[in-house]
Amino acid sequence: MSPEDQLLPRVSLGRTGIQVSPLCIGTAAWGVSSPVHGLTVPEEDAIATVHAALQSPINFLDTSNNYGDGESERRIGAALAQANVPAHFVVQTKLDRDPDTGAFTADRMRRSLDESLERLGLDSVPLLYLHDPEHITFAEAMALGGPVDTLAALRDEGYAAHIGIAGGPAQLLRRFVETDVFDALITHNRFTLVDRTADELLSIASEAGLGVINGAVYGGGILSSWPRVSDWYHYRSAPDEVLQAIDTIGAACARHDVPLIAAALQFSARDPRIHSTICGMVSPAQVEQTVALLDVPIPDDLWDEIDRLTPSRSTWIND
């Protein structure tokens, strides 16, 4: 069965018009090692995961210049070079600050793209983002000749069909969205079963016609299994109230015979404001398993219970 024949409907990624699957493969952990993610992903596993994606209903893959110090893109490029890549397959990447100085200069932005295209083996990408703008001020990002100006110039020069903004703090991302410069948004860790920080941001971006992508819906892994095996959310120790909420939500899911990970994924995938959800996947088996999670039946009663069990706003990231 070809990927087009499998049952995973494509949606238009906002005003870009790009047709994407509701799942996007995340590759942030695809380096030689990834202490933040607690993973070491062998190169052969990363390459096999891309090959599996090409044969799956998923047509969307996310990477960035600085993931794995460039290894993520290099491994993706190696896999793409070995494969017959379908025309519908979408690879997006991001411009990153200088790894040594943290600079977001125009020269660095151009070098970031050059490095990415060389690693990926591509001449251009359909979607190119400015990554982690929280490391400079909004004024610096938007300045004449600054990173946003350079990103738009790279689009105009034909290196990207559409441009986006990808980062953490929701209020800062809102300011970028309201400039009307960007076609797409990536938010992460801020719209999950236990955190609604990005709720207003999602509405504003959706109403503006942006393609909206939500990442890190497992909160760094803590929402991927129950009983939980970690006390870390968003790569730091979670407050007791959040841990208690996760345990209570996990128990509620168990009563309904629903894996917690399925609820964590579908919480994002079922939201009409979100076009695609980025999930880290590190093996062909995880590609298959993640697709299957979308088909797990979840009754409305459970969603109602999860809403009641959401921890208080005071525990959210709230940025």
Side-chain angles (χ1 to χ4, degrees), residues 142-197:
M142 296 298 299
L144 184 66
V148 172
D149 211 18
T150 306
L151 176 63
L154 292 169
R155 175 202 57 204
D156 295 344
E157 292 165 22
Y159 293 107
H162 304 280
I163 59 174
I165 190 75
Q171 291 303 312
L172 176 61
L173 290 180
R174 174 177 176 171
R175 295 184 70 185
F176 284 110
V177 166
E178 290 174 339
T179 66
D180 203 34
V181 169
F182 302 95
D183 304 310
L185 163 75
I186 300 175
T187 178
H188 64 84
N189 280 296
R190 289 160 174 83
F191 193 69
T192 71
L193 291 176
V194 293
D195 193 315
R196 307 289 196 275
T197 296

Side-chain angles (χ1 to χ4, degrees), residues 8 28 70 74 76 97 100 114 117 119-120 127 131 139 159 166 179 196 211 216-217 225 227 230 241 247-249 305:
L8 200 57
R74 191 188 68 77
I76 294 164
R97 63 194 184 278
D100 298 317
D114 287 344
L117 294 180
R119 294 170 188 148
L120 292 168
L127 291 153
H131 195 203
Y159 293 107
T179 66
R196 307 289 196 275
V217 293
S225 62
S230 169
E241 184 180 343
D247 288 340
T248 308
I249 291 170
E305 188 170 357

Side-chain angles (χ1 to χ4, degrees), residues 203-318:
S203 293
I204 290 169
S206 176
E207 290 166 5
L210 272 67
V212 179
I213 302 166
N214 189 31
V217 293
Y218 306 143
I222 194 170
L223 295 170
S224 63
S225 62
W226 189 83
R228 59 182 172 83
V229 295
S230 169
D231 64 357
W232 281 52
Y233 179 88
H234 186 219
Y235 316 120
R236 65 192 68 175
S237 294
D240 287 341
E241 184 180 343
V242 172
L243 297 178
Q244 292 167 7
I246 292 171
D247 288 340
T248 308
I249 291 170
C253 288
R255 288 197 306 273
H256 287 272
D257 198 26
V258 171
L260 177 62
I261 190 173
L265 174 58
Q266 290 192 34
F267 173 77
S268 176
R270 73 197 291 263
D271 193 302
R273 299 170 298 178
I274 296 169
H275 299 107
S276 193
T277 298
I278 299 174
C279 295
M281 303 181 208
V282 298
S283 70
Q286 278 197 344
V287 173
E288 182 177 358
Q289 291 161 2
T290 306
V291 171
L293 290 174
L294 287 179
D295 289 331
V296 173
I298 301 181
D300 290 341
D301 287 352
L302 177 56
W303 288 124
D304 292 342
E305 188 170 357
I306 287 172
D307 284 342
R308 293 193 298 271
L309 295 173
T310 303
S312 66
R313 180 181 291 271
S314 65
T315 69
W316 303 350
I317 297 173
N318 282 321

